[in-house]
Amino acid sequence: MRLFVASVATETNTFSPIPTSLENFREGLFARPGEHPEQATLCTAPLVVARRRAKAEGWTLIEGSCFWAEPAGTVSRQAYETMRDEILGQLKAALPLDGVLMGLHGAMVADGYDDCEGDLLTRVRALVGPKVPIGVEHDPHSHLTRARLAASDFIISFKEFPHTDFVDRAEEVVELTLRMIRGEIKPVKSVFDCRMIGSFPTTLQPMRGFVDRIKSLEGKNGVLSISVTHCFPYADVPELGAKILVVTDNRKDYGDRLATELGMELWGMRGRTTPEFLTPDQAIDQGLALNEGPAVIADPSDNAGGGAPSDSTQILRRLIERKVEGAALAPLWDPMAVRFCFDAGEGGRFKLRFGGKTAPSSGQPIDAEVIVTKLVREATQNFGAATVPLGDSAAIRIGGVEVVLISKRTQALGRDLFTNLGIDPEQRRIIVVKSTNHFHAAFGPIARKVLYVDSGSSIPRDHRQVPYTRIQRPIWPLDENARPHLV
Ligand SMILES: [Zn+2]
């Protein structure tokens, strides 16, 4: 038995001012066959799981390339086609195959390609033929397009946001593909289009209960898998929107009924799945009002994980202007400022201009006399089983405010983002993290209170402010006449 696995993944914010090149994938993950480490990353878990099972069960896994780039703007055509054609070439050389496994984020857009995953899977299908099972893992922040549904046998998305379950879902992708190869199951897809754009952190009700209920429905009545596509709101592509995908063992009618029931339930939650968003000053006030820290203030509007620059200064400026004591913010992406800090050295005190560089939404740079408190070459942070590089990083202090400056753009994920730079977040009154909800896995447990801010940076929390021109309408909350329906 021979299976092929590969991965190409990024989350494209078509409104982001930062272009995505092949170089950005080289700086992210660029693992050629056999080069992938034993540790799974968010979108390469199918490879790691399949590698382990192939070894244990005595079948052959042919490893293709794995590519991942930190979310940013549209991928260049040359970069996408290079990676795609490399994977297709490896696949062609590996034929004949019994199955294909793909780790795809599911929200990649390239010049000339609104639906990279649909394009890739269609070409994979053409090479392997109609009978070879193709199992796909997706991030829920993806576009569940017709092309990728038609080309694959099934897609399984992470259920949790923060995505703490990427390895668990990969186990299911591999298991279902193997069962399909053995002729034990016949996956059939039912899709419900909720006609809505939203954000759905699973740390909050009612979404928490919804995901728990979905889990309890799997493995019964022929239900193989249920996925909620949250949608990725910051892409101007026609098939954007929240969807429910139910995969049954050849029980199409039941799957359609269940997808409709769950889709209408999600539709009924619209407007109630996100936290309250405060202004920077409101959040600082609430944080300072607590007797004990830390208050964790999240700024999703500058989340690098959603393609934002992560160099906005709106909250930081207020912390400095208000002379807040015991506050720390991370990460702030500014490679040039990091370089200056290394030149100044640990303990160095100098006038630094930092942040506010990438776009108007980043605000103005901060000019301040800073003290360099810690320098780390090739710093990292952890997110579940994954180690995420920060590049050369510097901790600086301005009065009572500390900032972690990083060179490789990424969002706040682990507490070691602070501790590796000499800052103990548990000992601070206010911790500001640039992240939508992934921060919650590590920072939720130490937070006296979690507060969410819309600082007005590049990813608006009110989706009616996103300047879409190409998405299919009507869709909530842009249109009151949106009507959810079975696909
Ligand atoms: Zn995601």
Side-chain angles (χ1 to χ4, degrees):
M1 192 163 69
R2 294 164 56 81
L3 277 81
F4 176 84
V5 63
S7 177
V8 56
T10 191
E11 185 182 69
T12 302
N13 178 336
T14 64
F15 306 102
S16 172
I18 305 166
T20 303
S21 66
L22 206 55
E23 201 50 39
N24 295 112
F25 285 88
R26 285 189 205 283
E27 288 171 4
L29 177 73
F30 210 83
R32 272 13 203 286
E35 291 176 2
H36 195 288
E38 283 300 328
Q39 202 180 24
T41 65
L42 201 63
C43 294
T44 62
L47 180 142
V48 173
V49 169
R51 193 187 263 175
R52 194 193 70 233
R53 290 201 54 172
K55 207 171 167 188
E57 296 163 20
W59 45 270
T60 302
L61 180 71
I62 297 105
E63 294 184 11
S65 295
C66 295
F67 305 110
W68 181 83
E70 184 69 26
T74 302
V75 179
S76 78
R77 177 188 281 264
Q78 183 259 350
Y80 169 61
E81 290 179 349
T82 300
M83 295 182 289
R84 176 196 69 190
D85 294 347
E86 180 170 317
I87 289 172
L88 292 174
Q90 294 160 345
L91 178 81
K92 208 169 170 185
L95 294 172
L97 291 162
D98 299 286
V100 176
L101 304 162
M102 298 295 273
L104 305 174
H105 184 291
M108 183 169 171
V109 180
D111 269 338
Y113 298 92
D114 281 340
D115 178 12
C116 292
E117 293 83 357
D119 173 67
L120 174 64
L121 288 168
T122 303
R123 290 166 192 269
V124 169
R125 175 59 79 197
L127 281 173
V128 300
K131 292 202 177 77
V132 172
I134 301 176
V136 177
E137 187 173 29
H138 259 10
D139 187 293
H141 300 111
S142 51
H143 315 298
L144 196 63
T145 66
R146 283 177 175 78
R148 67 185 73 173
L149 286 163
S152 63
D153 287 282
F154 65 89
I155 298 172
I156 294 179
S157 296
F158 317 145
K159 285 186 169 60
E160 302 294 336
F161 179 32
H163 305 327
T164 49
D165 62 330
F166 56 95
V167 177
D168 297 335
R169 301 289 84 79
E171 297 274 4
E172 293 169 1
V173 171
V174 176
E175 174 65 15
L176 289 190
T177 305
L178 291 171
R179 287 181 66 192
M180 221 185 140
I181 293 169
R182 294 195 295 261
E184 294 169 12
I185 53 168
K186 186 174 184 298
V188 171
K189 301 183 279 289
S190 296
V191 179
F192 189 86
D193 186 342
C194 298
R195 300 308 305 149
M196 63 195 279
I197 302 169
S199 179
F200 307 92
T202 58
T203 41
L204 299 170
Q205 295 292 8
M207 200 58 196
R208 181 67 259 152
F210 187 63
V211 170
D212 290 339
R213 193 163 100 71
I214 280 174
K215 282 181 175 171
S216 75
L217 294 167
E218 290 177 325
K220 293 171 201 156
N221 302 309
V223 176
L224 298 171
S225 166
I226 304 172
S227 291
V228 182
T229 297
H230 294 194
C231 86
F232 177 61
Y234 307 102
D236 203 9
V237 293
E239 292 183 74
L240 176 138
K243 290 173 185 139
I244 302 282
L245 169 60
V246 174
V247 182
T248 59
D249 187 5
N250 203 19
R251 293 193 62 186
K252 176 70 173 158
D253 289 347
Y254 182 73
D256 283 355
R257 281 206 303 280
L258 188 57
T260 303
E261 183 191 317
L262 294 171
M264 288 308 293
E265 203 175 315
L266 191 66
W267 167 254
M269 293 178 195
R270 67 194 182 284
R272 295 189 292 126
T273 60
T274 50
E276 182 193 2
F277 289 103
L278 306 169
T279 66
D281 275 308
Q282 285 170 336
I284 294 168
D285 287 341
Q286 288 195 22
L288 292 176
L290 297 176
N291 291 328
E292 275 182 276
V296 173
I297 300 176
D299 182 10
S301 73
D302 196 28
N303 171 23
S310 198
D311 73 340
S312 85
T313 54
Q314 283 90 337
I315 301 178
L316 180 59
R317 182 176 302 284
R318 290 305 296 145
L319 289 169
I320 294 170
E321 284 173 353
R322 292 179 61 169
K323 299 187 166 50
V324 173
E325 291 291 326
L329 176 144
L332 192 82
W333 179 54
D334 192 334
M336 190 189 285
V338 170
R339 168 67 199 265
F340 289 174
C341 289
F342 271 86
D343 291 341
E346 259 180 33
R349 179 192 286 265
F350 71 115
K351 287 197 172 71
L352 177 66
R353 168 169 284 202
F354 61 101
K357 288 193 174 64
T358 311
S361 55
S362 298
Q364 291 299 310
I366 303 270
D367 288 288
E369 184 167 294
V370 307
I371 298 167
V372 180
T373 55
K374 180 99 177 161
L375 296 167
V376 179
R377 291 276 181 209
E378 297 298 333
T380 59
Q381 63 174 338
N382 284 296
F383 182 58
T387 300
V388 178
L390 305 169
D392 292 348
S393 300
I396 56 172
R397 188 152 57 75
I398 311 102
V401 180
E402 292 159 293
V403 182
V404 175
L405 302 170
I406 62 169
S407 303
K408 278 195 176 169
R409 202 173 53 85
T410 183
Q411 67 179 297
L413 296 168
R415 294 205 290 271
D416 46 1
L417 169 63
F418 289 94
T419 55
N420 289 347
L421 273 298
I423 299 167
D424 180 356
E426 294 187 65
Q427 301 303 318
R428 297 297 182 273
R429 292 182 78 189
I430 290 180
I431 294 292
V432 181
V433 286
K434 291 176 185 284
S435 170
T436 299
N437 211 48
H438 285 336
F439 77 90
H440 207 291
F443 291 90
I446 64 158
R448 292 294 288 185
K449 196 168 188 182
V450 175
L451 301 161
Y452 293 84
V453 161
D454 187 347
S455 75
S457 302
S458 70
I459 317 184
R461 304 317 298 165
D462 180 349
H463 300 124
R464 289 170 300 188
Q465 293 176 16
V466 181
Y468 300 112
T469 60
R470 300 182 56 234
I471 62 170
Q472 284 163 11
R473 309 284 289 265
I475 193 163
W476 184 89
L478 280 59
D479 306 301
E480 280 305 320
N481 61 338
R483 291 289 172 269
H485 57 83
L486 193 71
V487 174

